[in-house]
Amino acid sequence: MEYLLELAASPTAWVALATLIVMEIVLGIDNLIFISILTNKLPEQHRQKARRIGIGMALILRLGLLSTIAFIVQLTEPVIDILGHAFSWKDMILIAGGLFLLWKATTEIHHSMDPAPDDPMSATSTVTLGFAAAIGQILMLDMVFSIDSIITAVGMTEHLPIMIIAVVVSVLVMLLAADPLAKFINDNPTVVMLALGFLIMIGMTLIAEGFGAHVPKGYVYAAMAFSATIEGLNMMSRRAKQKKIAAEA
């Protein structure tokens, strides 16, 4: 208790908490985009439930990993050497997660460009399998993003209460933003393609990080913000043209 009171009275601790919360929220954007795109593929009545489960698992994984900080730190130690390059468990997890994102985003883009005809005879089995598959894929990426998130937290502060608060706050923000973001992506088909492009870029970044090439997160998110701004301007332009056509009609 005395330790917590000392932290609460420390301005440095509050600055560290605010910084870490911002970092965790930013890192959670990748996770949230993936969850939004994936759950939008489900029937509407299952989407919110899948998002809640996915984000809830992200919180459980992050808190679970925080309880094993000594193990998490060991994940950055080299365990295998391939052609003179040492890889840690963290590197291999990031590479696997990046490859999965590339495969998933490429597959979704292919389906968007060349959609397969629906089979009404298998609707029930598709719903069940689709929900289970979605949860499984969300869990897989939750693990990748959670490890990246916790290692970042460990590198920024040594105080476990600060890490726990930052993680809980960031996941709560994800929970609040999940439904509006998913609805926005679903209502705007061009945004879906943009978001899939983001997932490809994030996947490439994870692979590069896994091979030891540090990619500043600021560059990645600046590119995402710039692309989103351009798409926002395009959407405003299309709406203005539609209103003009409607007024003339």
PDB file of all heavy atoms in Angstrom, residues 15-46:
ATOM      1  N   VAL A  15       3.598  11.020 -15.319  1.00  0.00           N
ATOM      2  CA  VAL A  15       4.053  11.262 -16.689  1.00  0.00           C
ATOM      3  C   VAL A  15       4.257   9.936 -17.420  1.00  0.00           C
ATOM      4  O   VAL A  15       3.851   9.768 -18.580  1.00  0.00           O
ATOM      5  CB  VAL A  15       5.365  12.082 -16.692  1.00  0.00           C
ATOM      6  CG1 VAL A  15       5.946  12.145 -18.107  1.00  0.00           C
ATOM      7  CG2 VAL A  15       5.119  13.481 -16.151  1.00  0.00           C
ATOM      8  N   ALA A  16       4.865   8.972 -16.722  1.00  0.00           N
ATOM      9  CA  ALA A  16       5.082   7.653 -17.315  1.00  0.00           C
ATOM     10  C   ALA A  16       3.756   6.983 -17.640  1.00  0.00           C
ATOM     11  O   ALA A  16       3.606   6.349 -18.695  1.00  0.00           O
ATOM     12  CB  ALA A  16       5.898   6.782 -16.362  1.00  0.00           C
ATOM     13  N   LEU A  17       2.774   7.137 -16.742  1.00  0.00           N
ATOM     14  CA  LEU A  17       1.461   6.541 -16.967  1.00  0.00           C
ATOM     15  C   LEU A  17       0.783   7.145 -18.188  1.00  0.00           C
ATOM     16  O   LEU A  17       0.266   6.424 -19.051  1.00  0.00           O
ATOM     17  CB  LEU A  17       0.581   6.724 -15.732  1.00  0.00           C
ATOM     18  CG  LEU A  17      -0.869   6.242 -15.856  1.00  0.00           C
ATOM     19  CD1 LEU A  17      -0.910   4.743 -16.128  1.00  0.00           C
ATOM     20  CD2 LEU A  17      -1.660   6.570 -14.601  1.00  0.00           C
ATOM     21  N   ALA A  18       0.789   8.474 -18.285  1.00  0.00           N
ATOM     22  CA  ALA A  18       0.154   9.148 -19.422  1.00  0.00           C
ATOM     23  C   ALA A  18       0.822   8.752 -20.738  1.00  0.00           C
ATOM     24  O   ALA A  18       0.146   8.452 -21.738  1.00  0.00           O
ATOM     25  CB  ALA A  18       0.216  10.657 -19.232  1.00  0.00           C
ATOM     26  N   THR A  19       2.156   8.714 -20.731  1.00  0.00           N
ATOM     27  CA  THR A  19       2.902   8.345 -21.941  1.00  0.00           C
ATOM     28  C   THR A  19       2.595   6.914 -22.351  1.00  0.00           C
ATOM     29  O   THR A  19       2.364   6.620 -23.532  1.00  0.00           O
ATOM     30  CB  THR A  19       4.417   8.502 -21.702  1.00  0.00           C
ATOM     31  OG1 THR A  19       4.696   9.833 -21.273  1.00  0.00           O
ATOM     32  CG2 THR A  19       5.193   8.216 -22.977  1.00  0.00           C
ATOM     33  N   LEU A  20       2.578   6.014 -21.373  1.00  0.00           N
ATOM     34  CA  LEU A  20       2.340   4.606 -21.666  1.00  0.00           C
ATOM     35  C   LEU A  20       0.911   4.367 -22.142  1.00  0.00           C
ATOM     36  O   LEU A  20       0.676   3.538 -23.033  1.00  0.00           O
ATOM     37  CB  LEU A  20       2.638   3.755 -20.433  1.00  0.00           C
ATOM     38  CG  LEU A  20       2.654   2.232 -20.640  1.00  0.00           C
ATOM     39  CD1 LEU A  20       3.605   1.849 -21.760  1.00  0.00           C
ATOM     40  CD2 LEU A  20       3.037   1.522 -19.352  1.00  0.00           C
ATOM     41  N   ILE A  21      -0.056   5.092 -21.581  1.00  0.00           N
ATOM     42  CA  ILE A  21      -1.443   4.957 -22.033  1.00  0.00           C
ATOM     43  C   ILE A  21      -1.558   5.341 -23.509  1.00  0.00           C
ATOM     44  O   ILE A  21      -2.185   4.636 -24.307  1.00  0.00           O
ATOM     45  CB  ILE A  21      -2.385   5.823 -21.176  1.00  0.00           C
ATOM     46  CG1 ILE A  21      -2.574   5.183 -19.792  1.00  0.00           C
ATOM     47  CG2 ILE A  21      -3.742   5.983 -21.860  1.00  0.00           C
ATOM     48  CD1 ILE A  21      -3.384   6.027 -18.839  1.00  0.00           C
ATOM     49  N   VAL A  22      -0.928   6.459 -23.867  1.00  0.00           N
ATOM     50  CA  VAL A  22      -0.963   6.894 -25.271  1.00  0.00           C
ATOM     51  C   VAL A  22      -0.316   5.852 -26.172  1.00  0.00           C
ATOM     52  O   VAL A  22      -0.848   5.494 -27.229  1.00  0.00           O
ATOM     53  CB  VAL A  22      -0.255   8.258 -25.431  1.00  0.00           C
ATOM     54  CG1 VAL A  22      -0.123   8.628 -26.909  1.00  0.00           C
ATOM     55  CG2 VAL A  22      -1.029   9.341 -24.688  1.00  0.00           C
ATOM     56  N   MET A  23       0.838   5.327 -25.738  1.00  0.00           N
ATOM     57  CA  MET A  23       1.537   4.317 -26.524  1.00  0.00           C
ATOM     58  C   MET A  23       0.689   3.059 -26.689  1.00  0.00           C
ATOM     59  O   MET A  23       0.599   2.491 -27.786  1.00  0.00           O
ATOM     60  CB  MET A  23       2.863   3.963 -25.854  1.00  0.00           C
ATOM     61  CG  MET A  23       3.969   4.993 -26.048  1.00  0.00           C
ATOM     62  SD  MET A  23       4.479   5.146 -27.781  1.00  0.00           S
ATOM     63  CE  MET A  23       5.075   3.488 -28.108  1.00  0.00           C
ATOM     64  N   GLU A  24       0.054   2.624 -25.611  1.00  0.00           N
ATOM     65  CA  GLU A  24      -0.756   1.400 -25.669  1.00  0.00           C
ATOM     66  C   GLU A  24      -1.989   1.596 -26.562  1.00  0.00           C
ATOM     67  O   GLU A  24      -2.391   0.679 -27.284  1.00  0.00           O
ATOM     68  CB  GLU A  24      -1.188   1.000 -24.253  1.00  0.00           C
ATOM     69  CG  GLU A  24      -0.057   0.506 -23.369  1.00  0.00           C
ATOM     70  CD  GLU A  24       0.542  -0.797 -23.860  1.00  0.00           C
ATOM     71  OE1 GLU A  24      -0.211  -1.650 -24.347  1.00  0.00           O
ATOM     72  OE2 GLU A  24       1.768  -0.957 -23.765  1.00  0.00           O
ATOM     73  N   ILE A  25      -2.584   2.783 -26.518  1.00  0.00           N
ATOM     74  CA  ILE A  25      -3.743   3.064 -27.382  1.00  0.00           C
ATOM     75  C   ILE A  25      -3.325   3.044 -28.849  1.00  0.00           C
ATOM     76  O   ILE A  25      -4.000   2.466 -29.711  1.00  0.00           O
ATOM     77  CB  ILE A  25      -4.382   4.414 -27.012  1.00  0.00           C
ATOM     78  CG1 ILE A  25      -5.068   4.316 -25.646  1.00  0.00           C
ATOM     79  CG2 ILE A  25      -5.385   4.842 -28.078  1.00  0.00           C
ATOM     80  CD1 ILE A  25      -5.608   5.632 -25.132  1.00  0.00           C
ATOM     81  N   VAL A  26      -2.172   3.669 -29.142  1.00  0.00           N
ATOM     82  CA  VAL A  26      -1.670   3.693 -30.513  1.00  0.00           C
ATOM     83  C   VAL A  26      -1.373   2.278 -31.001  1.00  0.00           C
ATOM     84  O   VAL A  26      -1.738   1.889 -32.122  1.00  0.00           O
ATOM     85  CB  VAL A  26      -0.414   4.585 -30.612  1.00  0.00           C
ATOM     86  CG1 VAL A  26       0.260   4.414 -31.964  1.00  0.00           C
ATOM     87  CG2 VAL A  26      -0.785   6.043 -30.398  1.00  0.00           C
ATOM     88  N   LEU A  27      -0.710   1.471 -30.141  1.00  0.00           N
ATOM     89  CA  LEU A  27      -0.408   0.090 -30.513  1.00  0.00           C
ATOM     90  C   LEU A  27      -1.682  -0.738 -30.682  1.00  0.00           C
ATOM     91  O   LEU A  27      -1.706  -1.711 -31.442  1.00  0.00           O
ATOM     92  CB  LEU A  27       0.499  -0.559 -29.458  1.00  0.00           C
ATOM     93  CG  LEU A  27       1.938  -0.041 -29.392  1.00  0.00           C
ATOM     94  CD1 LEU A  27       2.676  -0.638 -28.197  1.00  0.00           C
ATOM     95  CD2 LEU A  27       2.688  -0.340 -30.670  1.00  0.00           C
ATOM     96  N   GLY A  28      -2.744  -0.360 -29.975  1.00  0.00           N
ATOM     97  CA  GLY A  28      -3.999  -1.094 -30.071  1.00  0.00           C
ATOM     98  C   GLY A  28      -4.769  -0.830 -31.350  1.00  0.00           C
ATOM     99  O   GLY A  28      -5.702  -1.579 -31.684  1.00  0.00           O
ATOM    100  N   ILE A  29      -4.401   0.225 -32.086  1.00  0.00           N
ATOM    101  CA  ILE A  29      -5.095   0.545 -33.337  1.00  0.00           C
ATOM    102  C   ILE A  29      -4.985  -0.612 -34.320  1.00  0.00           C
ATOM    103  O   ILE A  29      -5.963  -0.993 -34.983  1.00  0.00           O
ATOM    104  CB  ILE A  29      -4.520   1.841 -33.950  1.00  0.00           C
ATOM    105  CG1 ILE A  29      -4.869   3.043 -33.066  1.00  0.00           C
ATOM    106  CG2 ILE A  29      -5.053   2.055 -35.370  1.00  0.00           C
ATOM    107  CD1 ILE A  29      -4.208   4.336 -33.507  1.00  0.00           C
ATOM    108  N   ASP A  30      -3.771  -1.193 -34.430  1.00  0.00           N
ATOM    109  CA  ASP A  30      -3.571  -2.320 -35.349  1.00  0.00           C
ATOM    110  C   ASP A  30      -4.513  -3.467 -35.007  1.00  0.00           C
ATOM    111  O   ASP A  30      -5.172  -4.039 -35.885  1.00  0.00           O
ATOM    112  CB  ASP A  30      -2.118  -2.826 -35.249  1.00  0.00           C
ATOM    113  CG  ASP A  30      -1.101  -1.725 -35.471  1.00  0.00           C
ATOM    114  OD1 ASP A  30      -1.500  -0.665 -35.992  1.00  0.00           O
ATOM    115  OD2 ASP A  30       0.068  -1.923 -35.136  1.00  0.00           O
ATOM    116  N   ASN A  31      -4.545  -3.809 -33.722  1.00  0.00           N
ATOM    117  CA  ASN A  31      -5.398  -4.892 -33.246  1.00  0.00           C
ATOM    118  C   ASN A  31      -6.865  -4.605 -33.554  1.00  0.00           C
ATOM    119  O   ASN A  31      -7.615  -5.484 -34.005  1.00  0.00           O
ATOM    120  CB  ASN A  31      -5.198  -5.039 -31.739  1.00  0.00           C
ATOM    121  CG  ASN A  31      -5.483  -6.433 -31.223  1.00  0.00           C
ATOM    122  OD1 ASN A  31      -5.183  -6.763 -30.098  1.00  0.00           O
ATOM    123  ND2 ASN A  31      -6.087  -7.281 -32.026  1.00  0.00           N
ATOM    124  N   LEU A  32      -7.281  -3.359 -33.340  1.00  0.00           N
ATOM    125  CA  LEU A  32      -8.684  -2.979 -33.513  1.00  0.00           C
ATOM    126  C   LEU A  32      -9.105  -3.009 -34.977  1.00  0.00           C
ATOM    127  O   LEU A  32     -10.217  -3.442 -35.306  1.00  0.00           O
ATOM    128  CB  LEU A  32      -8.911  -1.587 -32.920  1.00  0.00           C
ATOM    129  CG  LEU A  32     -10.365  -1.142 -32.754  1.00  0.00           C
ATOM    130  CD1 LEU A  32     -11.133  -2.139 -31.900  1.00  0.00           C
ATOM    131  CD2 LEU A  32     -10.414   0.237 -32.111  1.00  0.00           C
ATOM    132  N   ILE A  33      -8.227  -2.564 -35.866  1.00  0.00           N
ATOM    133  CA  ILE A  33      -8.539  -2.603 -37.300  1.00  0.00           C
ATOM    134  C   ILE A  33      -8.760  -4.041 -37.754  1.00  0.00           C
ATOM    135  O   ILE A  33      -9.715  -4.349 -38.479  1.00  0.00           O
ATOM    136  CB  ILE A  33      -7.405  -1.944 -38.123  1.00  0.00           C
ATOM    137  CG1 ILE A  33      -7.393  -0.432 -37.895  1.00  0.00           C
ATOM    138  CG2 ILE A  33      -7.579  -2.241 -39.616  1.00  0.00           C
ATOM    139  CD1 ILE A  33      -6.235   0.283 -38.561  1.00  0.00           C
ATOM    140  N   PHE A  34      -7.871  -4.939 -37.303  1.00  0.00           N
ATOM    141  CA  PHE A  34      -8.007  -6.349 -37.687  1.00  0.00           C
ATOM    142  C   PHE A  34      -9.318  -6.939 -37.163  1.00  0.00           C
ATOM    143  O   PHE A  34     -10.040  -7.617 -37.894  1.00  0.00           O
ATOM    144  CB  PHE A  34      -6.817  -7.158 -37.151  1.00  0.00           C
ATOM    145  CG  PHE A  34      -6.891  -8.616 -37.486  1.00  0.00           C
ATOM    146  CD1 PHE A  34      -6.535  -9.066 -38.748  1.00  0.00           C
ATOM    147  CD2 PHE A  34      -7.332  -9.542 -36.552  1.00  0.00           C
ATOM    148  CE1 PHE A  34      -6.611 -10.413 -39.073  1.00  0.00           C
ATOM    149  CE2 PHE A  34      -7.410 -10.887 -36.871  1.00  0.00           C
ATOM    150  CZ  PHE A  34      -7.044 -11.327 -38.128  1.00  0.00           C
ATOM    151  N   ILE A  35      -9.632  -6.670 -35.893  1.00  0.00           N
ATOM    152  CA  ILE A  35     -10.865  -7.190 -35.301  1.00  0.00           C
ATOM    153  C   ILE A  35     -12.083  -6.646 -36.042  1.00  0.00           C
ATOM    154  O   ILE A  35     -13.040  -7.381 -36.326  1.00  0.00           O
ATOM    155  CB  ILE A  35     -10.939  -6.840 -33.801  1.00  0.00           C
ATOM    156  CG1 ILE A  35      -9.885  -7.643 -33.012  1.00  0.00           C
ATOM    157  CG2 ILE A  35     -12.326  -7.124 -33.232  1.00  0.00           C
ATOM    158  CD1 ILE A  35      -9.789  -7.265 -31.545  1.00  0.00           C
ATOM    159  N   SER A  36     -12.063  -5.369 -36.395  1.00  0.00           N
ATOM    160  CA  SER A  36     -13.200  -4.749 -37.084  1.00  0.00           C
ATOM    161  C   SER A  36     -13.433  -5.377 -38.452  1.00  0.00           C
ATOM    162  O   SER A  36     -14.566  -5.702 -38.820  1.00  0.00           O
ATOM    163  CB  SER A  36     -12.961  -3.240 -37.239  1.00  0.00           C
ATOM    164  OG  SER A  36     -12.865  -2.608 -35.975  1.00  0.00           O
ATOM    165  N   ILE A  37     -12.357  -5.555 -39.219  1.00  0.00           N
ATOM    166  CA  ILE A  37     -12.489  -6.142 -40.553  1.00  0.00           C
ATOM    167  C   ILE A  37     -12.971  -7.583 -40.469  1.00  0.00           C
ATOM    168  O   ILE A  37     -13.859  -8.018 -41.210  1.00  0.00           O
ATOM    169  CB  ILE A  37     -11.150  -6.062 -41.309  1.00  0.00           C
ATOM    170  CG1 ILE A  37     -10.832  -4.606 -41.656  1.00  0.00           C
ATOM    171  CG2 ILE A  37     -11.181  -6.906 -42.584  1.00  0.00           C
ATOM    172  CD1 ILE A  37      -9.501  -4.412 -42.333  1.00  0.00           C
ATOM    173  N   LEU A  38     -12.395  -8.335 -39.534  1.00  0.00           N
ATOM    174  CA  LEU A  38     -12.722  -9.756 -39.440  1.00  0.00           C
ATOM    175  C   LEU A  38     -14.161  -9.969 -38.980  1.00  0.00           C
ATOM    176  O   LEU A  38     -14.886 -10.794 -39.538  1.00  0.00           O
ATOM    177  CB  LEU A  38     -11.753 -10.444 -38.475  1.00  0.00           C
ATOM    178  CG  LEU A  38     -11.614 -11.961 -38.626  1.00  0.00           C
ATOM    179  CD1 LEU A  38     -11.143 -12.320 -40.029  1.00  0.00           C
ATOM    180  CD2 LEU A  38     -10.643 -12.509 -37.597  1.00  0.00           C
ATOM    181  N   THR A  39     -14.598  -9.219 -37.969  1.00  0.00           N
ATOM    182  CA  THR A  39     -15.959  -9.420 -37.457  1.00  0.00           C
ATOM    183  C   THR A  39     -17.013  -8.921 -38.439  1.00  0.00           C
ATOM    184  O   THR A  39     -18.152  -9.407 -38.407  1.00  0.00           O
ATOM    185  CB  THR A  39     -16.143  -8.702 -36.098  1.00  0.00           C
ATOM    186  OG1 THR A  39     -15.765  -7.321 -36.227  1.00  0.00           O
ATOM    187  CG2 THR A  39     -15.282  -9.347 -35.029  1.00  0.00           C
ATOM    188  N   ASN A  40     -16.668  -7.993 -39.311  1.00  0.00           N
ATOM    189  CA  ASN A  40     -17.620  -7.536 -40.323  1.00  0.00           C
ATOM    190  C   ASN A  40     -17.927  -8.612 -41.357  1.00  0.00           C
ATOM    191  O   ASN A  40     -18.886  -8.486 -42.119  1.00  0.00           O
ATOM    192  CB  ASN A  40     -17.090  -6.283 -41.029  1.00  0.00           C
ATOM    193  CG  ASN A  40     -17.327  -5.024 -40.221  1.00  0.00           C
ATOM    194  OD1 ASN A  40     -18.097  -5.029 -39.261  1.00  0.00           O
ATOM    195  ND2 ASN A  40     -16.651  -3.944 -40.575  1.00  0.00           N
ATOM    196  N   LYS A  41     -17.121  -9.684 -41.386  1.00  0.00           N
ATOM    197  CA  LYS A  41     -17.379 -10.787 -42.299  1.00  0.00           C
ATOM    198  C   LYS A  41     -18.439 -11.742 -41.743  1.00  0.00           C
ATOM    199  O   LYS A  41     -18.926 -12.601 -42.459  1.00  0.00           O
ATOM    200  CB  LYS A  41     -16.084 -11.578 -42.541  1.00  0.00           C
ATOM    201  CG  LYS A  41     -14.936 -10.754 -43.106  1.00  0.00           C
ATOM    202  CD  LYS A  41     -15.174 -10.329 -44.533  1.00  0.00           C
ATOM    203  CE  LYS A  41     -15.061 -11.506 -45.466  1.00  0.00           C
ATOM    204  NZ  LYS A  41     -15.192 -11.110 -46.895  1.00  0.00           N
ATOM    205  N   LEU A  42     -18.771 -11.579 -40.455  1.00  0.00           N
ATOM    206  CA  LEU A  42     -19.755 -12.445 -39.816  1.00  0.00           C
ATOM    207  C   LEU A  42     -21.172 -11.922 -40.049  1.00  0.00           C
ATOM    208  O   LEU A  42     -21.359 -10.742 -40.383  1.00  0.00           O
ATOM    209  CB  LEU A  42     -19.487 -12.518 -38.312  1.00  0.00           C
ATOM    210  CG  LEU A  42     -18.153 -13.141 -37.871  1.00  0.00           C
ATOM    211  CD1 LEU A  42     -17.960 -12.948 -36.373  1.00  0.00           C
ATOM    212  CD2 LEU A  42     -18.113 -14.616 -38.219  1.00  0.00           C
ATOM    213  N   PRO A  43     -22.182 -12.754 -39.850  1.00  0.00           N
ATOM    214  CA  PRO A  43     -23.566 -12.259 -39.871  1.00  0.00           C
ATOM    215  C   PRO A  43     -23.737 -11.166 -38.821  1.00  0.00           C
ATOM    216  O   PRO A  43     -23.088 -11.192 -37.760  1.00  0.00           O
ATOM    217  CB  PRO A  43     -24.385 -13.512 -39.521  1.00  0.00           C
ATOM    218  CG  PRO A  43     -23.535 -14.649 -39.937  1.00  0.00           C
ATOM    219  CD  PRO A  43     -22.120 -14.222 -39.686  1.00  0.00           C
ATOM    220  N   GLU A  44     -24.606 -10.206 -39.117  1.00  0.00           N
ATOM    221  CA  GLU A  44     -24.710  -9.012 -38.272  1.00  0.00           C
ATOM    222  C   GLU A  44     -24.995  -9.326 -36.815  1.00  0.00           C
ATOM    223  O   GLU A  44     -24.487  -8.658 -35.920  1.00  0.00           O
ATOM    224  CB  GLU A  44     -25.803  -8.091 -38.836  1.00  0.00           C
ATOM    225  CG  GLU A  44     -25.830  -6.726 -38.176  1.00  0.00           C
ATOM    226  CD  GLU A  44     -26.738  -5.765 -38.913  1.00  0.00           C
ATOM    227  OE1 GLU A  44     -27.263  -6.127 -39.987  1.00  0.00           O
ATOM    228  OE2 GLU A  44     -26.919  -4.645 -38.397  1.00  0.00           O
ATOM    229  N   GLN A  45     -25.801 -10.358 -36.546  1.00  0.00           N
ATOM    230  CA  GLN A  45     -26.177 -10.654 -35.164  1.00  0.00           C
ATOM    231  C   GLN A  45     -25.016 -11.210 -34.344  1.00  0.00           C
ATOM    232  O   GLN A  45     -25.088 -11.252 -33.116  1.00  0.00           O
ATOM    233  CB  GLN A  45     -27.355 -11.634 -35.118  1.00  0.00           C
ATOM    234  CG  GLN A  45     -27.050 -13.028 -35.665  1.00  0.00           C
ATOM    235  CD  GLN A  45     -27.352 -13.128 -37.145  1.00  0.00           C
ATOM    236  OE1 GLN A  45     -27.334 -12.128 -37.865  1.00  0.00           O
ATOM    237  NE2 GLN A  45     -27.682 -14.332 -37.617  1.00  0.00           N
ATOM    238  N   HIS A  46     -23.933 -11.627 -35.010  1.00  0.00           N
ATOM    239  CA  HIS A  46     -22.786 -12.190 -34.296  1.00  0.00           C
ATOM    240  C   HIS A  46     -21.628 -11.207 -34.169  1.00  0.00           C
ATOM    241  O   HIS A  46     -20.660 -11.501 -33.453  1.00  0.00           O
ATOM    242  CB  HIS A  46     -22.286 -13.447 -35.012  1.00  0.00           C
ATOM    243  CG  HIS A  46     -23.257 -14.576 -35.016  1.00  0.00           C
ATOM    244  ND1 HIS A  46     -23.596 -15.287 -33.883  1.00  0.00           N
ATOM    245  CD2 HIS A  46     -23.991 -15.128 -36.020  1.00  0.00           C
ATOM    246  CE1 HIS A  46     -24.469 -16.226 -34.183  1.00  0.00           C
ATOM    247  NE2 HIS A  46     -24.739 -16.142 -35.483  1.00  0.00           N
TER     248      HIS A  46
END
